[in-house]
Amino acid sequence: MTKSLSHLKCEACSGNTPKLNIKEIQENLQKTNKWNVNEKNEMIYKKFSFKTFKKALHFTNLVGEIAEKEAHHPDISLGWGYCLIMIHTHAINGLSLNDFILAAKIDLIDKN
């Protein structure tokens, strides 16, 4: 039985890390909770909604803690009532397994 993505650990990437192909991207998207891929298949993203700015900011800080532990950092847009998380592997300008691992771990954050 394969481990869920959230139980895996991000591994260091380099410019030699292979980009996931479209089939691999689609397979990994199915293992996440409603993440989307952009038109160029180079980034996944998800918008989280909150009732206040303070809750969105708290969530953003928790995402930052996970990113530091995983040494894999998303792009984040924060505003009143929302936090938009955009993930890609900067070293390859595309998607690697790390992106989906980070997404799965972010989905485990309690949003209350």
Side-chain angles (χ1 to χ4, degrees):
M1 182 176 192
T2 33
K3 287 185 176 179
S4 71
L5 290 170
S6 65
H7 289 92
L8 300 175
K9 175 91 176 119
C10 291
E11 296 180 9
C13 290
S14 71
N16 296 324
T17 300
K19 292 182 185 183
L20 296 179
N21 63 40
I22 293 171
K23 181 181 178 200
E24 293 167 322
I25 291 168
Q26 292 303 318
E27 287 172 355
N28 282 296
L29 267 179
Q30 292 176 9
K31 297 175 187 176
T32 66
N33 184 18
K34 299 180 182 175
W35 284 76
N36 300 289
V37 64
N38 70 346
E39 290 177 6
K40 295 182 181 180
N41 291 306
E42 62 189 11
M43 177 187 299
I44 58 173
Y45 63 93
K46 184 174 178 180
K47 186 174 183 179
F48 295 85
S49 298
F50 301 90
K51 293 186 180 198
T52 66
F53 179 81
K54 187 175 180 178
K55 287 183 178 185
L57 179 60
H58 178 69
F59 176 80
T60 301
N61 288 327
L62 293 174
V63 169
E65 290 175 20
I66 292 169
E68 281 296 301
K69 285 179 188 171
E70 293 298 318
H72 194 60
H73 303 92
D75 296 319
I76 301 173
S77 179
L78 169 68
W80 191 94
Y82 79 91
C83 178
L84 175 63
I85 308 289
M86 299 156 283
I87 308 173
H88 70 285
T89 301
H90 296 90
I92 60 172
N93 234 0
L95 290 167
S96 72
L97 183 59
N98 286 349
D99 303 309
F100 295 94
I101 293 170
L102 184 60
K105 290 181 183 226
I106 290 170
D107 279 336
L108 295 177
I109 298 172
D110 181 6
K111 286 140 198 101
N112 292 317

